[in-house]
Amino acid sequence: MTVREPAWTEQDRAEILALALYRSRLCPLHGGPLDECTSPEETGAQFSAERSTCRARLTLIEAQRAADDGKKPSPYAGARLWTVKRRG
Ligand SMILES: [Zn+2]
C-alpha cells in the first residue's frame, strides 16, 4: 500500500474555506462588501463613482481595431489570441 502526502494540508483547506467565505460576502457587481451596498440608502454607506481608463485595455482595443483596418471584424476575430505587455 502506498501512502501519499495529501495534496491539501489542513492549513490549505482552512485557508481556502476562509477565502470562499470572504468572497461570498462580496458584491458580484462592484466587488466591495455586499452588506455595505445592500444596506438601506438612508442609514447605510454612501458611495461616489469615479471614471478612469485602463490604458492597457485601451491599447488592446486600439490594436484590435487597427488589425481590422477599418473593415468589419473578421468572423474569426473571436479566435484571435491577444496579449498586452507593459513597455518600460
Ligand atoms: Zn455592490
Side-chain angles (χ1 to χ4, degrees):
M1 189 172 114
T2 307
V3 178
R4 278 190 254 154
E5 284 270 318
W8 291 60
T9 65
E10 277 298 316
Q11 179 76 23
D12 293 336
R13 282 192 280 273
E15 288 176 358
I16 204 71
L17 283 173
L19 179 62
L21 180 62
Y22 168 75
R23 287 181 174 165
S24 74
R25 294 176 180 160
L26 298 179
C27 174
L29 297 180
H30 87 284
L34 195 55
D35 61 345
E36 280 185 5
C37 69
T38 57
S39 62
E41 192 171 350
E42 304 76 31
T43 58
Q46 302 299 307
F47 299 94
S48 64
E50 291 176 28
R51 177 178 152 171
S52 61
T53 299
C54 170
R55 293 182 297 106
R57 180 71 180 167
L58 180 64
T59 300
L60 175 63
I61 292 168
E62 288 172 346
Q64 289 171 331
R65 291 188 66 153
D68 291 326
D69 207 17
K71 292 180 268 191
K72 204 171 110 183
S74 157
Y76 307 110
R80 292 179 186 146
L81 297 173
W82 293 84
T83 55
V84 177
K85 295 178 185 163
R86 182 178 159 171
R87 292 186 307 176

